[in-house]
Amino acid sequence: ISKMLSSELFQVLLKVMSLLYNTLDMFRGQNRINLITSLMTTSFFTLFCHWCPEVRTYFQLLVVYKLLRTERENLPCFTDGPVIAKYATNSETKQRGSFGFQRKSSGSKVYVDEDSVERRMAVIDTCSSIRGQDDEKLIDVMLCSKIDSYVRMCLENDPSIPEHNRPYVTRSLSQYANLLEKYYSGINSKSSENLVTLAHRMIESSTNPYLN
């Protein structure tokens, strides 16, 4: 998989990510950690900030809907709020978003304030107390931190981002922000839905940032 993800052909990248999307649920424990850590370490910037919008879309959908199994609002995804607040196209989001969203059962969108930090830190404490009972949630907390670190590097335009990916950082973050907004608004991935179908469902019009 690592060799295929290093391919210059975007068609190959799309097929590999479709494969990962359809099989990630089969990986548990250390195998899951190894796979996702390798993916993030070797390919995050290449895929997240890829020149091809379809590649960016597929990878970001993978990040949001498959890498983590616990709902994001119950994890310390600290960069979600800043990304949405700065890059989402919805003006209401920019004015009100600070640390993220909390999804209600009705599916309506509610912005949380700074207490969401304490709420998410409580998740970590809870995970510590259930070690051995729900190891996958503990893995989610760890992976969430990894995702956050890479996204934060994009937010800060870190110089370690490869030169050929830097021109696409801003549009990648805009894309990611609008995807997160959809996620927190209650647009979910259906269990029987493949990555191609989900990607097309996210692309609603020619003005959608996924096409830019």
Side-chain angles (χ1 to χ4, degrees):
I1 289 180
S2 296
K3 289 184 178 179
M4 289 188 287
L5 285 174
S6 64
S7 173
E8 297 292 330
L9 299 175
F10 74 90
Q11 297 94 331
V12 173
L13 297 177
L14 295 177
K15 287 186 178 297
V16 175
M17 284 187 284
S18 291
L19 173 65
L20 288 172
Y21 187 89
N22 293 329
T23 59
L24 259 175
D25 289 340
M26 300 169 59
F27 292 84
R28 300 183 65 83
Q30 191 61 47
N31 289 331
R32 179 181 170 219
I33 294 172
N34 293 342
L35 175 62
I36 297 177
T37 299
S38 175
L39 174 67
M40 303 294 285
T41 303
T42 62
S43 304
F44 181 87
F45 296 121
T46 299
L47 300 174
F48 190 87
C49 303
H50 199 273
W51 64 266
C52 176
E54 286 179 305
V55 171
R56 297 197 303 265
T57 299
Y58 275 38
F59 182 67
Q60 292 179 12
L61 288 171
L62 191 66
V63 169
V64 172
Y65 287 107
K66 282 294 182 177
L67 296 193
L68 304 175
R69 296 177 184 176
T70 305
E71 296 289 344
R72 295 179 76 91
E73 59 263 42
N74 294 322
L75 290 170
C77 302
F78 294 118
T79 56
D80 285 7
V83 168
I84 292 170
K86 185 173 181 179
Y87 290 98
T89 56
N90 187 306
S91 60
E92 180 183 2
T93 301
K94 290 184 177 182
Q95 292 172 5
R96 299 176 63 191
S98 58
F99 285 89
F101 295 94
Q102 183 176 16
R103 186 161 52 208
K104 284 187 173 181
S105 57
S106 63
S108 60
K109 209 164 30 174
V110 176
Y111 294 85
V112 296
D113 53 24
E114 294 186 9
D115 67 354
S116 66
V117 174
E118 284 72 29
R119 174 172 56 80
R120 287 174 170 176
M121 291 306 294
V123 173
I124 299 177
D125 294 336
T126 300
C127 287
S128 298
S129 67
I130 60 173
R131 180 176 295 276
Q133 302 176 37
D134 192 352
D135 287 343
E136 293 304 311
K137 177 173 280 190
L138 290 170
I139 292 172
D140 279 340
V141 172
M142 182 192 71
L143 294 176
C144 179
S145 176
K146 288 183 179 293
I147 294 170
D148 258 12
S149 65
Y150 284 107
V151 173
R152 193 175 304 280
M153 290 170 73
C154 290
L155 284 169
E156 297 172 353
N157 201 18
D158 193 280
S160 62
I161 298 173
E163 188 69 33
H164 63 277
N165 293 121
R166 289 184 193 176
Y168 304 98
V169 169
T170 298
R171 69 184 69 180
S172 298
L173 287 169
S174 296
Q175 207 171 308
Y176 188 56
N178 283 280
L179 172 59
L180 287 173
E181 187 177 35
K182 288 176 182 291
Y183 171 87
Y184 285 113
S185 297
I187 300 179
N188 298 316
S189 170
K190 300 172 184 175
S191 59
S192 60
E193 190 173 44
N194 61 37
L195 183 57
V196 177
T197 304
L198 178 61
H200 281 289
R201 185 156 60 88
M202 290 295 177
I203 300 173
E204 298 173 347
S205 72
S206 59
T207 59
N208 190 287
Y210 287 106
L211 298 177
N212 296 332

